[in-house]
Amino acid sequence: MPIGALAQDAKQGYVKRIVVRGDDLAIEYAPGYQMPRATSRKETGIDLVSTLTALGVTSSQLKNISIEYAAPSRWENWGAVLGTLLPLLLVGGFFFFLLRQAQGAGNQAFAFGKSRARMFTSEKPTVTFADVAGAEEAKQELREVVEFLKEPQKFAALGARIPKGI
């Protein structure tokens, strides 16, 4: 109900008790009135007695009304804090997730348009088979690898596996 209607009811003596919790008002009416309870709000920063006095309620009429100030709930302030921080945390988490995905993909998201071509320079030494012609051990290992690739079931029967790097 509007605060002006509360002041009118207080002037007529219908209001029995008012519980103030922050800016919210819980109003209890005297027995026999058309509604037993109602709620209203007062202005922030101005106490209820000043507001009712400004609306024409006299001090003798205020003496008949029991005004109680209740401590605000602990959770009232947390609701405002969570309402502010929760969206920020969700957006921050979303960006963190996107950046982690981009790093896991080899940083491909940020490498768009970059060429992976490499310049070949003739200054770099190249190794040929002629350079390793005398390394019989390397030739034997290469023959074993070729044989393994041609007939893997023969080696698998012995329990062999492909070594790393092949």
Side-chain angles (χ1 to χ4, degrees), residues 42-53:
K42 69 174 189 68
E43 285 188 57
T44 305
I46 300 174
D47 65 341
L48 179 63
V49 175
S50 301
T51 303
L52 291 176
T53 305

Side-chain angles (χ1 to χ4, degrees), residues 100-117:
R100 296 278 296 175
Q101 291 296 324
Q103 285 177 348
N107 219 1
Q108 292 174 352
F110 298 112
F112 180 75
K114 290 183 180 177
S115 174
R116 293 190 184 120

Side-chain angles (χ1 to χ4, degrees), residues 67-144:
I67 299 175
E68 298 176 18
Y69 288 90
S73 172
R74 291 183 184 182
W75 301 107
E76 285 181 22
N77 294 335
W78 283 106
V81 170
L82 288 178
T84 303
L85 291 180
L86 192 61
L88 292 175
L89 290 174
L90 288 175
V91 169
F94 178 71
F95 279 117
F96 178 75
F97 177 74
L98 283 180
L99 290 176
R100 296 278 296 175
Q101 291 296 324
Q103 285 177 348
N107 219 1
Q108 292 174 352
F110 298 112
F112 180 75
K114 290 183 180 177
S115 174
R116 293 190 184 120
R118 295 192 179 142
M119 292 290 291
F120 177 75
T121 60
S122 59
E123 300 166 359
K124 199 172 193 180
T126 58
V127 179
T128 63
F129 279 109
D131 295 336
V132 291
E136 292 300 320
E137 190 175 305
K139 290 180 186 178
Q140 179 60 32
E141 287 180 12
L142 186 59
R143 284 189 196 106
E144 289 176 4

Side-chain angles (χ1 to χ4, degrees), residues 149-163:
L149 292 175
K150 285 183 180 178
E151 302 176 35
Q153 65 276 7
K154 181 170 93 172
F155 291 92
L158 297 173
R161 293 181 302 149
I162 299 176

